[in-house]
Amino acid sequence: MTKTIAKGATQRNTISWARFFQLLWLRRVIQLYFVLFITKVAVEKALVGEESAVFVPGPESYSPFGGFEGLYKFVTSGGLFIAHTHWSNLVLFGTVVLVALLTKSAFCGWICPFGTLQEWLGSLGKRLGLRRSVPQRIDSILRNFKYVMLVWATVGAAVTGVMVFRDIDPYHALVAAAEVGFASSTVVLLITLAASLFVERPWCKYACPLGALIGLIGHLSLTKVERSENLCKKGCRLCDKSCPMGVEITAAKRVGTAECNNCLTCVEACPWGALDTRVLTLPSISREVT
Amino acid sequence: MRVNKFVYVAIILIAFFIPYGLAKAGGYWSTSGKFDGTGTPIVATGRDTAEIKGWMTFDDISQGYKVSIDEIVTAFDLPKEEVSPDKTLNKMESTSFSVTKLRQWLDERRSSSP
């Protein structure tokens, strides 16, 4: 089924429900791949354990934030890794930085398994009628907390040589449940999962230090979502309503805010073809969402 | 300049997997603290106590840091009959002994020795 849009719009701007589902399901497939991958790693590690003569990597080996936490020690000690980190963590951290520079926060929107899990729970919560909106003022204040987490985790690891964030990391509690048992990180995990039923991606929005870091790096990204003033019918606000991160897309021409995770849901939701991904060209004068 | 959405997705995936491929090819990919990227076992060298991991044995520490196992047992009041050269550090962790405390003790020992 094809739906034509505003008079004067070009052919390429006509939306197709088939195309909508293509990108939508492509994203689902990619997200599912990474969830299944880390699940496989976690299950294998839980079954084999630490004592076995056969080594299998643990899910912590695939944590990019672990690479960031250990970066200071790695650099200052001439190549030593802090506990629970390896070359894989460092490489993945570098990978996340590269992805952020090229595609802004797409790691969060397309790859991160923990973000995907929250998204799935959010969809379930919406179907069950549990979805709630956080008051704007409270939401604005809470969004800053993830930067506090970032500073704490960074400084803590640099000073102590230990991943202080690991003690409350819900991702670690989830993927290493057999090892962690019931700890403070488990409490954080349960709260996050429960909150996900009511609020979209609560950990991503309010507490994820990696997301905070990616958002900061993403300001340097060459590609961002842009809105065409000519094609946009701001009254529909379908983009604003579809955004899982609660970004007010209609407020600016270019979505440069660190809150945007580049999931492209807004791009696909727009019936006017007014949103698109664009590579920035100089000079860039557009006012960004703050 | 507009970027096709599917090209954008391809860029995400390529940017994500290329570093892994390069690291793997260059011997910089390791998911274990026991081996480096080339598969060479990691040992306690005595260079920096940050290298000490829970899976290392008392013998590894003794060899790397030139300290007798008895000295470690005495310093941390460990039950002598439970400590053997091939026992891993994490097996003996308790309120009085941990890898972190061992690192601190070795640092202090090194700084106080002539």
Side-chain angles (χ1 to χ4, degrees):
Chain A
M1 173 183 165
T2 303
K3 182 180 174 183
T4 53
I5 57 170
K7 195 192 283 187
T10 60
Q11 184 61 36
R12 78 173 172 85
N13 287 326
T14 57
I15 69 147
S16 160
W17 289 112
R19 281 200 68 216
F20 175 85
F21 283 114
Q22 277 177 18
L23 193 71
L24 177 71
W25 287 107
L26 178 60
R27 181 164 169 263
R28 293 277 184 266
V29 167
I30 292 171
Q31 288 180 305
L32 182 63
Y33 167 79
F34 286 101
V35 168
L36 289 177
F37 172 78
I38 208 65
T39 301
K40 171 183 172 291
V41 171
V43 170
E44 275 182 352
K45 189 65 177 180
L47 291 175
V48 170
E50 294 286 347
E51 310 301 325
S52 173
V54 177
F55 169 75
V56 293
E60 278 196 297
S61 305
Y62 298 97
S63 168
F65 195 62
F68 174 67
E69 288 176 287
L71 190 60
Y72 177 78
K73 185 65 182 183
F74 183 81
V75 171
T76 57
S77 68
L80 289 176
F81 292 102
I82 62 176
H84 309 289
T85 62
H86 321 293
W87 270 114
S88 55
N89 299 98
L90 210 55
V91 171
L92 284 169
F93 171 64
T95 299
V96 164
V97 171
L98 177 64
V99 171
L101 290 172
L102 292 176
T103 59
K104 209 168 158 291
S105 303
F107 173 83
C108 303
W110 290 77
I111 295 173
C112 177
F114 197 59
T116 299
L117 180 60
Q118 293 172 73
E119 208 170 280
W120 291 349
L121 287 170
S123 295
L124 175 63
K126 188 176 181 183
R127 285 176 190 270
L128 296 175
L130 299 175
R131 178 73 59 82
R132 298 288 182 272
S133 61
V134 178
Q136 179 73 20
R137 187 172 173 77
I138 296 175
D139 179 83
S140 299
I141 294 170
L142 288 177
R143 298 264 185 170
N144 295 310
F145 182 65
K146 56 181 176 283
Y147 299 103
V148 175
M149 293 281 269
L150 175 61
V151 171
W152 168 64
T154 307
V155 174
V159 169
T160 66
V162 173
M163 293 196 291
V164 296
F165 175 68
R166 191 171 180 262
D167 291 340
I168 64 160
D169 184 0
Y171 169 77
H172 172 60
L174 179 64
V175 297
E179 174 197 340
V180 172
F182 191 83
S184 48
S185 55
T186 315
V187 175
V188 177
L189 171 65
L190 292 174
I191 291 173
T192 300
L193 296 181
S196 297
L197 293 169
F198 299 89
V199 178
E200 287 190 277
R201 291 190 172 234
W203 179 260
C204 304
K205 285 178 182 171
Y206 305 128
C208 181
L210 179 60
L213 180 63
I214 289 172
L216 292 173
I217 297 172
H219 280 300
L220 303 174
S221 174
L222 298 177
T223 57
K224 289 176 183 170
V225 173
E226 285 197 6
R227 185 175 59 81
S228 166
E229 291 276 3
N230 295 333
L231 296 174
C232 176
K233 309 297 176 192
K234 284 191 185 182
C236 78
R237 299 182 68 92
L238 284 172
C239 52
D240 294 343
K241 292 172 188 172
S242 69
C243 179
M245 295 300 288
V247 174
E248 194 178 350
I249 296 155
T250 48
K253 281 185 184 178
R254 184 177 302 122
V255 185
T257 175
E259 303 301 320
C260 169
N261 68 8
N262 292 77
C263 63
L264 305 189
T265 303
C266 58
V267 174
E268 292 304 289
C270 178
W272 314 108
L275 292 168
D276 228 328
T277 47
R278 289 185 179 271
V279 176
L280 297 183
T281 53
L282 295 175
S284 299
I285 312 295
S286 298
R287 184 166 53 91
E288 294 190 356
V289 176
T290 55
Chain B
M1 185 180 77
R2 180 176 171 267
V3 177
N4 179 277
K5 287 182 283 291
F6 295 98
V7 170
Y8 183 79
V9 175
I11 291 172
I12 295 170
L13 296 176
I14 291 170
F16 187 81
F17 285 107
I18 286 275
Y20 162 75
L22 292 174
K24 193 98 168 122
Y28 290 102
W29 181 265
S30 170
T31 53
S32 168
K34 299 181 182 180
F35 303 93
D36 65 17
T38 61
T40 305
I42 290 174
V43 296
T45 62
R47 183 166 55 103
D48 189 326
T49 56
E51 69 183 355
I52 296 175
K53 307 295 183 188
W55 53 263
M56 289 179 175
T57 65
F58 281 88
D59 190 50
D60 292 332
I61 304 304
S62 176
Q63 299 285 338
Y65 288 84
K66 305 294 182 273
V67 56
S68 69
I69 297 176
D70 286 337
E71 202 177 335
I72 299 174
V73 169
T74 304
F76 291 95
D77 197 27
L78 296 173
K80 198 165 183 171
E81 63 281 3
E82 289 184 27
V83 179
S84 60
D86 60 350
K87 192 107 176 196
T88 57
L89 301 176
N90 51 22
K91 285 269 177 58
M92 293 303 302
E93 286 200 334
S94 64
T95 50
S96 61
F97 178 75
S98 68
V99 173
T100 305
K101 288 177 179 171
L102 178 62
R103 291 190 192 117
Q104 291 170 346
W105 179 76
L106 286 169
D107 285 334
E108 288 165 7
R109 182 176 176 275
R110 190 154 46 179
S111 60
S112 62
S113 61

